[in-house]
Amino acid sequence: MAPDSKIDEFQTPKIVSFLSGGIAGGVEATITYPLEFAKVVVQLQAKANAKHVPRNPLPVISHVVHEEGLRALYKGCSALIVGSIAKDGVRFLCFDSIKEAFQDPHTGTLTPSRSILAGMVSGVVSSTFASTPTERIKTALIDDARHENRFRSPLHACRVIYSESGFLGLYRGFLGTTLRQSCATGVRMGTYNILKDYEKRKDITQSVTTNFVNGAVAGTITTLATQPFDTVKTRAQSARGASTVEAFTSIVADGGVRGFWRGTSMRLGRTMLSAGILFTVYERIVTILQPVFR
C-alpha cells in the first residue's frame, strides 16, 4: 500500500488534467490573440512587401484597429479559443498520463529526455484531434478578412472549405502543424517540467511568479526552436490553402531562408506571455480541482 500511496501523491486525476488544460488554454488564447493575429498577417505577406514588414506587432495592431475597428483584430478568435481549449485539454491530459507512466515513483520527476518525449507525443495527439482543423479555420479567416471577405463566421468557413476541398481541406497544413506541435509541445512542456523538477529537488517553492517565469522561459526556447514549422503551417493554411510543399516553396520564393523566420519577434512576444499565462493558470486550476476529484 505504501508504494501505491507514494505514486498517487504525484498523480493528477485525468479529469483534472483535461479540465485544467482546457481552461488554461482558453484563458491564454483570449488574452494573447491580438499578438497571434499580427503574427499571421505578417507571415502571409509576400516578398513585394518584405521591406515594409514590421518586426513589432504594435504597428500592425494599431493599423488594423484604425482602419477596420477593434472587432477586426479578433477575426478568427473564436476558432482559436475553441481549438485552444480542446488542444490544451488533450495536451495536458496526454502529457500527465505519459509522465505518470515514466516518472520516478519516489520523487515524481522525469529525466529531461523523457520530459521532452512526453511533450512531443502530446503534441502529435493534440494536432491530430484539435490543432490542425482549428488552426486552419483561424488562419483562413484572418487571410480572408485581408482580401476576399468570403467567410462570414468560423462555421461558414468550415462549410465553404469542406464544399471546395472536402474533409481533407480542413487538414491543410497537417504535416507542418504536427511538426510544429510535436516540437513545440516537446520543447515547451519538456522545458517547463525540467525546470519544475529541478526546483522540486532544490526545495524551491512553487508560486505564481515561479510558474510564470518557468513558462516564459519555456515559451522563449520553443519559439526559437520551432519558428520555421510555424511559418510553413501558416502559409499552408491560408484562405485558399496550399500543400506543405507549396507553402515551403512559396516562402523560399518570397524571402529565401530568412523567410522561414518571418514573424519571429511577434511570435516570441506572444509565446513568452502565453506560456507564462498557460502554465500559471493550469497550476492554479489544478490546485482548485484536485481536492474535488481525489
Side-chain angles (χ1 to χ4, degrees):
M1 292 298 293
D4 290 341
S5 300
K6 189 67 174 176
I7 292 173
D8 185 68
E9 177 185 339
F10 302 114
Q11 292 182 343
T12 302
K14 302 296 187 294
I15 185 65
V16 173
S17 295
F18 181 75
L19 291 176
S20 299
I23 293 170
V27 171
E28 174 270 317
T30 303
I31 293 174
T32 64
Y33 188 77
L35 293 173
E36 173 69 11
F37 179 93
K39 181 215 70 174
V40 171
V41 169
V42 167
Q43 288 181 329
L44 290 172
Q45 293 188 35
K47 186 177 181 180
N49 299 317
K51 293 182 179 180
H52 306 290
V53 173
R55 294 180 179 274
N56 188 323
L58 295 182
V60 177
I61 293 172
S62 177
H63 176 74
V64 171
V65 172
H66 181 265
E67 295 293 325
E68 304 172 54
L70 184 62
R71 290 186 62 182
L73 196 62
Y74 280 84
K75 190 73 172 179
C77 181
S78 58
L80 181 66
I81 292 174
V82 171
S84 293
I85 292 172
K87 172 186 69 178
D88 287 308
V90 170
R91 187 157 56 181
F92 276 100
L93 171 61
C94 187
F95 182 82
D96 285 346
S97 298
I98 296 171
K99 178 181 176 180
E100 288 170 8
F102 292 105
Q103 67 189 8
D104 186 309
H106 301 292
T107 64
T109 60
L110 288 177
T111 62
S113 60
R114 285 184 173 181
S115 290
I116 293 173
L117 179 61
M120 292 182 72
V121 174
S122 302
V124 173
V125 174
S126 66
S127 176
T128 303
F129 292 101
S131 298
T132 299
T134 54
E135 287 271 346
R136 166 70 163 124
I137 297 302
K138 176 212 71 178
T139 304
L141 283 166
I142 293 175
D143 188 33
D144 179 70
R146 316 305 301 166
H147 300 99
E148 301 179 63
N149 287 309
R150 292 195 304 151
F151 304 144
R152 297 190 296 270
S153 67
L155 182 58
H156 181 248
C158 283
R159 290 172 178 168
V160 172
I161 292 171
Y162 181 79
S163 66
E164 293 178 349
S165 306
F167 180 74
L168 292 180
L170 296 172
Y171 273 81
R172 286 283 192 183
F174 174 73
L175 179 59
T177 303
T178 302
L179 286 172
R180 188 200 68 168
Q181 285 295 113
S182 177
C183 293
T185 306
V187 174
R188 177 187 284 191
M189 301 193 79
T191 300
Y192 181 83
N193 196 66
I194 290 168
L195 291 172
K196 187 176 178 181
D197 284 349
Y198 173 80
E199 291 161 356
K200 185 183 296 184
R201 290 193 297 270
K202 297 296 182 180
D203 292 322
I204 297 174
T205 303
Q206 294 295 299
S207 65
V208 170
T209 301
T210 306
N211 297 152
F212 188 89
V213 171
N214 288 348
V217 171
T220 300
I221 296 172
T222 300
T223 301
L224 298 177
T226 64
Q227 182 63 25
F229 297 129
D230 186 73
T231 304
V232 171
K233 183 272 304 179
T234 298
R235 282 293 182 95
Q237 293 179 331
S238 59
R240 291 294 179 180
S243 68
T244 299
V245 173
E246 289 170 340
F248 185 93
T249 55
S250 72
I251 292 168
V252 173
D254 286 344
V257 175
R258 294 182 64 181
F260 290 99
W261 298 91
R262 184 173 291 171
T264 299
S265 58
M266 294 186 181
R267 185 172 175 237
L268 182 60
R270 179 182 181 270
T271 52
M272 287 179 64
L273 180 62
S274 67
I277 294 171
L278 180 70
F279 287 110
T280 301
V281 174
Y282 174 78
E283 298 287 3
R284 294 306 98 189
I285 299 298
V286 166
T287 61
I288 294 170
L289 294 181
Q290 191 147 289
V292 177
F293 289 94
R294 278 294 184 186

